[in-house]
Amino acid sequence: MTVTVTGWRPALARSVVLRHDRVRRADLLVLPERVVVLSGQAADVLRLCDGHRHVDEIVEELTGRFPGAPVAAEVPRFLDRVREEGWLR
């Protein structure tokens, strides 16, 4: 398991685009030769990955949006998994 680096300011990889598909009514990550359909609040998390916010700031923002959700535990793990896929830098 990867541990989120303190001070990391996640951003989508250069070859990755976050889009909302109105036909599918779904948020998508568009990658070279691949499309990933996002579920749950994944797009909400990834929209905050702008290269300016630290992981702690993303967690703080989402904690305010989703009170009572296990944001502090789940978001850093999610970001690590997405980074391991190569979709975040």
Side-chain angles (χ1 to χ4, degrees):
M1 177 196 282
T2 305
V3 177
T4 303
V5 177
T6 303
W8 178 39
R9 295 177 179 173
L12 290 176
R14 293 183 200 330
S15 61
V16 177
V17 177
L18 178 61
R19 284 220 170 110
H20 181 75
D21 184 328
R22 287 183 282 191
V23 173
R24 295 181 192 178
R25 296 183 181 160
D27 291 304
L28 312 171
L29 276 184
V30 180
L31 306 117
E33 301 181 22
R34 184 173 176 195
V35 174
V36 177
V37 178
L38 300 172
S39 61
Q41 305 318 125
D44 291 322
V45 176
L46 293 175
R47 280 189 188 94
L48 295 174
C49 295
D50 57 9
H52 299 287
R53 293 179 179 96
H54 290 95
V55 173
D56 292 343
E57 293 170 311
I58 293 169
V59 168
E60 184 178 328
E61 171 73 24
L62 292 167
T63 298
R65 289 186 196 180
F66 305 104
V71 172
E74 292 183 4
V75 168
R77 283 197 305 252
F78 169 72
L79 293 175
D80 281 338
R81 283 195 319 268
V82 174
R83 181 172 50 182
E84 287 173 5
E85 290 291 335
W87 304 340
L88 284 177
R89 54 182 169 90

